[in-house]
Every structure is written in structure tokens, then in C-alpha cells.
């Protein structure tokens, strides 16, 4: 059981123990705050630059896609409509069958 004397001894010895523990740690450098502020500014600038670059890329891609789809590069919209028509299943079969026949072994499985 802990007595009042134990508590009093603990209260007397605690400040000395804490002081000796703190003495083992190095003192923080004098420019710690300035370096951390500079690092924070650098990180914010890098993050802003990355976000801006991403926004520019997205805008350029969407403008390029729009221009390619709607004839913004000197082509008429009928040219782009011809290029983007869907092929029928017969066209796909006619084109793929020769490739598949070459891929199969000649003797069979």
C-alpha cells in the first residue's frame, strides 16, 4: 500500500528526474521556425504548380478532343463523322478471320 510518505518522496524526486531526462535532449536550432515556414511555403507552391499543370492538361485535352470531333483542325465535320462510324459485325468478322486462322496451329490441337 502507498503511504503519504511515498507520495511526498515522489513529489520531491519528480522535478529532478524530469530535469535530468530533459538534459539528454538536444536544444532545438535557432532557425527551426524559419526553416519550417520556408518548407511549408515550398510545399504549397509545389502543390499549386501541380494543380495548375493538371488543370492546363485537362483543358488542353478537352479543347483538343472537341476540335478533333467537330472539325476544328481544318477538317469538315463530315470527315470526322466518316472516321467515327461504327463497323458492322460482318466487317469485323471479315477482318479478324484471316488473323485468327493464322494464329491457330495447322495440324490441330
Amino acid at each position: 500500500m502507498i503511504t503519504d510518505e511515498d507520495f511526498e518522496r515522489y513529489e520531491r524526486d519528480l522535478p529532478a528526474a524530469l530535469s535530468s531526462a530533459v538534459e539528454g535532449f538536444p536544444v532545438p536550432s535557432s532557425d527551426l521556425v524559419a526553416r519550417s515556414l520556408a518548407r511549408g511555403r515550398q510545399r504549397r507552391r509545389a502543390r499549386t504548380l501541380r494543380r495548375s499543370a493538371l488543370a492546363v492538361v485537362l483543358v488542353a485535352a478537352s479543347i483538343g478532343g472537341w476540335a478533333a470531333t467537330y472539325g476544328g483542325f481544318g477538317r469538315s465535320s463530315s470527315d470526322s463523322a466518316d472516321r467515327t462510324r461504327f463497323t458492322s459485325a460482318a466487317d469485323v468478322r471479315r477482318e479478324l478471320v484471316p488473323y485468327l486462322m493464322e494464329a491457330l496451329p495447322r495440324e490441330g490441337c
Side-chain angles (χ1 to χ4, degrees):
M1 179 153 175
I2 299 175
T3 63
D4 288 337
E5 293 173 2
D6 294 333
F7 277 119
E8 289 174 4
R9 188 180 57 220
Y10 176 73
E11 288 176 353
R12 270 193 324 265
D13 294 342
L14 181 63
L18 290 176
S19 295
S20 66
V22 169
E23 289 172 1
F25 290 102
V27 177
S29 63
S30 61
D31 64 338
L32 178 67
V33 173
R35 284 187 297 132
S36 57
L37 287 175
R39 187 179 309 132
R41 273 194 300 277
Q42 181 182 9
R43 287 182 179 177
R44 280 190 300 276
R45 286 180 188 148
R47 184 175 53 231
T48 302
L49 181 64
R50 281 192 305 269
R51 287 179 180 171
S52 300
L54 178 63
V56 167
V57 166
L58 291 176
V59 167
S62 60
I63 289 173
W66 172 83
T69 302
Y70 294 107
F73 292 123
R75 293 190 309 255
S76 67
S77 60
S78 63
D79 292 343
S80 62
D82 289 340
R83 278 189 318 106
T84 59
R85 76 170 180 85
F86 292 105
T87 59
S88 67
D91 292 340
V92 171
R93 254 181 295 181
R94 193 176 322 116
E95 292 176 8
L96 284 181
V97 166
Y99 293 119
L100 293 174
M101 293 301 287
E102 287 181 22
L104 291 174
R106 301 257 183 235
E107 306 85 39
C109 295

